[in-house]
Amino acid sequence: MAKKGKTAIEPTRDEDYPEWYQQVVKASDMAEKSPVRGCMVIKPWGYALWENIRHNLDDMFKSTGVKNAYFPIFIPLAFFEKEAEHVEGFAKECAVVTHHRLEQSPEGGLVPAGKLTEPLIIRPTSETIIGDSFSKWVSSYRDLPILINQWANIVRWEMRTRIFLRTSEFLWQEGHTAHADKEEAVRRTRMMLNIYARFAEDYLAIPVMKGEKTFSERFPGAVNTYCIEAMMQDRKALQAGTSHFLGQNFSRASDIRFQSADETEEFAWTTSWGVSTRLIGGLIMCHGDDDGIILPPKIASSQIVLMPIVRKQSQRQEVMEYTENLAKALKEKRYGGRRLSVEIDDREIGGARGWEWIKKGIPLRVEIGPRDIAQNSVFVARRDQTPKEKTSIGRERFIIQIDHILDEIQHNMFNKALAFRKKNTVSINHREEFYQFFTPKDQKKPEIHGGFAMSHWCGEEACETRIKDDLKVTIRCIPFDNEREDGECICCGRPSRERVVFAKAY
RNA sequence: CGGGACGUGGCUCAGUCUGGUAGAGCACAGCGUUCGGGACGCUGGGGUCGCAAGUUCAAAUCUUGCCGUCCCGACCA
């Protein structure tokens, strides 16, 4: 008999959203905390997801002419110091290597011995070290553009960490490009943001808003920062990807100069853009329910688990053969640009086995027992439906329709997330209403509240700061698809010509 | 770095106030009965009680110091 409540995850999202998140991560078997402060161990089920994200994005990048390369994890301090705003933005988060050797200390134990003449920082991002290479690679406009991406780990020594969302070390991709022409660099910045948006929506099934950051939220050293922002189920915003137009700031700092067609010497225009393992956190918070994570079929670690039902040993061989045959047939099929990944779980039958896969978020669970084999059918449960809803489908029909079923799940997930965002995005014109919107009723144990507020902003940083201090609400972005509209700043009442997205953020 | 709390089998925790030589639930292993919605019974393995010093006949328990973790704040691509 079941002894737990109705949900596989406790507490539920409504009861305690942050704790729900931690429990979902644990139950999904994707990652766990490591003994190292703020770092995580990504387990196979989580890493497979990252691999799929990586493969798909990598293809998209390459289709635009980007090539992969790799640069060192260590950055000489002197490089890092070159761009003033960049230093200011990242200095506090840098891990620094000052020694290079260990020795036995007289008191026992190992101590660092050889002190480095110049400290090395562990990359928090690679603009400066890649810029140094670019400066050597470029001498003529004919050398441009350079379109480089690297898949790497980076370290940012954050005060408070949360698995997948903000860890001291994380995996990401960072693209770096250099152009002879300003407009071309801006186009590239936009192009990459569009790729992120398409990937988020088509693969992760996460609807995103594209827009530009305000000055205060801009990447340190950038001229413009574009971003995609997604709404999580606690109605907070998650920055899911960013693309920066760096102007000539970093090319001046790294001395990326070239001779133009009309024989003048000029600085290159550079861009950088990245997404990280944070996307996995976004996936969990966007799609998860009170039974655990729900993986979108296109990037799921696996799409299908087959669970043989063996009640008597005498049936075992027949059931296993049928199951393995089905697995083989399914693996022939392609979905989302790659072969279907199919798991067979032949552990003892019982509810626990099924629930484990629910918590891992696999899109389809298929039970195969003697009854099904007798009618040449399979018993299918979809993760986007309640655990009870299982349907018997003829084996051949199931195989033929598998991509339609998975597509349907993929679309359902996106539409559900989009409906949620729409429901919790409101236009607010009055200051009082704005403050009310972002203030929980129960201050001691805040309930899920707020959302995206589309409101007017005069463009002054003072107003931004004021709202941040009062409510912890920030401008997530100035949407690209904004319509011009006259209004009054939600904070000071001065005239404004467009609305921006206000929200609490991760 | 300020405020608070906590370190006891793999996990969650009880035991600490009132010192007497370590427990529960879950997980794990074996056997049996079960089994198409989270099974049950019996048996078993596993802990220098964060570290160090002190008090004591005796310390998980009292004292001091250290280390670490979590929460709130500050900070934050």
Side-chain angles (χ1 to χ4, degrees):
Chain A
M1 279 292 116
K3 53 182 164 181
K4 285 228 178 163
K6 283 173 288 192
T7 63
I9 302 294
E10 280 182 36
T12 62
R13 287 163 293 178
D14 280 340
E15 286 160 1
D16 186 346
Y17 196 84
E19 182 59 23
W20 165 84
Y21 176 81
Q22 307 278 20
Q23 293 304 324
V24 170
V25 171
K26 197 181 282 182
S28 69
D29 203 35
M30 292 203 298
E32 61 193 21
K33 283 193 291 183
S34 85
V36 185
R37 195 203 100 106
C39 293
M40 62 179 165
V41 173
I42 306 176
K43 299 173 81 175
W45 190 248
Y47 198 77
L49 199 54
W50 180 243
E51 285 178 315
N52 291 338
I53 289 173
R54 194 175 147 158
H55 288 146
N56 286 298
L57 271 176
D58 205 53
D59 285 348
M60 290 167 107
F61 297 158
K62 284 172 180 163
S63 74
T64 71
V66 172
K67 304 237 189 266
N68 284 333
Y70 189 79
F71 298 84
I73 191 172
F74 300 118
I75 301 179
L77 194 55
F79 281 25
F80 194 69
E81 283 168 343
K82 285 175 186 167
E83 217 292 332
E85 279 185 31
H86 196 61
V87 173
E88 204 187 319
F90 282 110
K92 283 170 288 184
E93 299 177 20
C94 281
V96 188
V97 180
T98 54
H99 290 76
H100 71 106
R101 199 174 54 203
L102 291 171
E103 280 177 1
Q104 285 291 341
S105 84
E107 296 88 42
L110 292 167
V111 290
K115 190 169 183 191
L116 299 178
T117 46
E118 182 185 15
L120 296 168
I121 63 169
I122 300 176
R123 62 179 164 221
T125 179
S126 303
E127 275 75 8
T128 56
I129 187 101
I130 292 179
D132 180 70
S133 285
F134 280 11
S135 72
K136 293 174 197 153
W137 298 353
V138 176
S139 45
S140 151
Y141 71 97
R142 295 181 214 273
D143 297 325
L144 294 168
I146 300 181
L147 310 172
I148 291 293
N149 175 64
Q150 83 166 343
W151 291 93
N153 59 336
I154 63 172
V155 168
R156 294 183 187 177
W157 214 255
E158 303 283 359
M159 287 295 180
R160 272 174 71 179
T161 56
R162 275 184 88 187
I163 208 157
F164 284 125
L165 293 173
R166 177 172 288 121
T167 43
S168 300
E169 180 196 19
F170 56 92
L171 304 181
W172 80 341
Q173 130 309 289
E174 52 181 323
H176 296 267
T177 68
H179 308 260
D181 180 62
K182 180 182 176 184
E183 298 314 315
E184 185 186 296
V186 171
R187 274 201 305 278
R188 173 56 64 168
T189 313
R190 287 268 196 160
M191 183 197 296
M192 298 324 285
L193 189 80
N194 285 334
I195 284 179
Y196 290 156
R198 202 168 80 224
F199 178 74
E201 301 200 331
D202 291 354
Y203 287 80
L204 305 177
I206 299 176
V208 293
M209 280 190 165
K210 289 186 280 187
E212 187 176 337
K213 286 291 188 194
T214 63
F215 173 79
S216 67
E217 297 275 327
R218 210 172 273 163
F219 176 78
V223 172
N224 275 315
T225 288
Y226 303 143
C227 63
I228 51 172
E229 295 282 330
M231 185 186 285
M232 304 293 102
Q233 289 181 82
D234 60 355
R235 303 183 211 160
K236 286 192 187 175
L238 183 79
Q239 178 176 298
T242 47
S243 185
H244 316 290
F245 171 59
L246 304 174
Q248 293 174 311
N249 295 347
F250 283 87
S251 61
R252 285 178 200 280
S254 297
D255 203 29
I256 309 172
R257 279 176 298 158
F258 67 95
Q259 214 165 23
S260 70
D262 30 278
E263 300 184 317
T264 56
E265 186 169 72
E266 288 173 33
F267 285 109
W269 302 84
T270 65
T271 80
S272 69
W273 26 276
V275 297
S276 71
T277 37
R278 175 179 245 205
L279 286 177
I280 297 174
L283 209 55
I284 296 168
M285 290 200 294
C286 184
H287 299 306
D289 65 13
D290 293 333
D291 288 329
I293 187 182
I294 304 178
L295 297 175
K298 278 195 189 167
I299 47 93
S301 314
S302 284
Q303 285 89 2
I304 309 165
V305 58
L306 306 182
M307 295 183 282
I309 308 287
V310 180
R311 305 191 57 177
K312 299 178 197 143
Q313 274 312 306
S314 59
Q315 300 167 330
R316 186 169 182 85
Q317 196 186 345
E318 188 195 6
V319 174
M320 286 311 295
E321 265 175 30
Y322 190 92
T323 303
E324 275 158 24
N325 262 321
L326 178 62
K328 203 176 156 199
L330 288 170
K331 283 178 185 170
E332 295 289 314
K333 303 273 289 185
R334 299 184 71 84
Y335 183 71
R338 65 196 167 96
R339 279 182 195 282
L340 280 180
S341 171
V342 182
E343 309 274 339
I344 295 178
D345 186 347
D346 63 351
R347 288 176 299 173
E348 277 188 25
I349 51 179
R353 179 175 65 170
W355 279 104
E356 220 171 90
W357 289 103
I358 289 173
K359 288 185 280 193
K360 286 163 89 93
I362 200 160
L364 291 175
R365 307 186 304 282
V366 179
E367 293 174 20
I368 300 158
R371 286 207 300 257
D372 309 293
I373 296 174
Q375 346 166 7
N376 195 28
S377 67
V378 292
F379 206 48
V380 180
R382 289 166 50 154
R383 184 59 182 88
D384 65 333
Q385 298 173 341
T386 62
K388 279 184 215 167
E389 292 175 69
K390 298 181 190 175
T391 32
S392 191
I393 306 176
R395 185 197 124 112
E396 303 315 318
R397 215 176 122 224
F398 178 66
I399 294 170
I400 291 167
Q401 292 198 331
I402 188 73
D403 46 349
H404 294 292
I405 299 172
L406 292 171
D407 266 342
E408 209 176 292
I409 296 175
Q410 183 84 26
H411 290 137
N412 274 354
M413 291 179 70
F414 178 79
N415 290 334
K416 197 175 163 193
L418 185 62
F420 182 86
R421 191 185 74 186
K422 280 186 178 157
K423 196 178 127 203
N424 293 294
T425 302
V426 293
S427 284
I428 298 182
N429 297 318
H430 302 290
R431 187 185 164 122
E432 198 176 309
E433 190 189 339
F434 186 89
Y435 272 64
Q436 212 171 11
F437 184 67
F438 285 115
T439 306
K441 290 193 180 71
D442 184 354
Q443 288 285 358
K444 286 193 181 135
K445 196 179 175 297
E447 75 284 357
I448 292 176
H449 67 283
F452 285 4
M454 306 297 298
S455 296
H456 279 278
W457 173 56
C458 61
E460 289 298 322
E461 206 176 330
C463 289
E464 220 183 336
T465 311
R466 176 76 190 275
I467 286 170
K468 188 178 179 183
D469 291 346
D470 286 353
L471 298 168
K472 289 182 187 162
V473 168
T474 49
I475 298 175
R476 300 321 304 154
C477 70
I478 305 162
F480 287 154
D481 55 6
N482 247 358
E483 286 169 23
R484 289 270 176 244
E485 179 197 307
D486 289 325
E488 292 167 359
C489 177
I490 198 73
C491 183
C492 67
R494 278 178 295 199
S496 148
R497 281 187 307 167
E498 61 181 338
R499 291 176 185 272
V500 299
V501 184
F502 284 96
K504 293 189 178 176
Y506 274 96

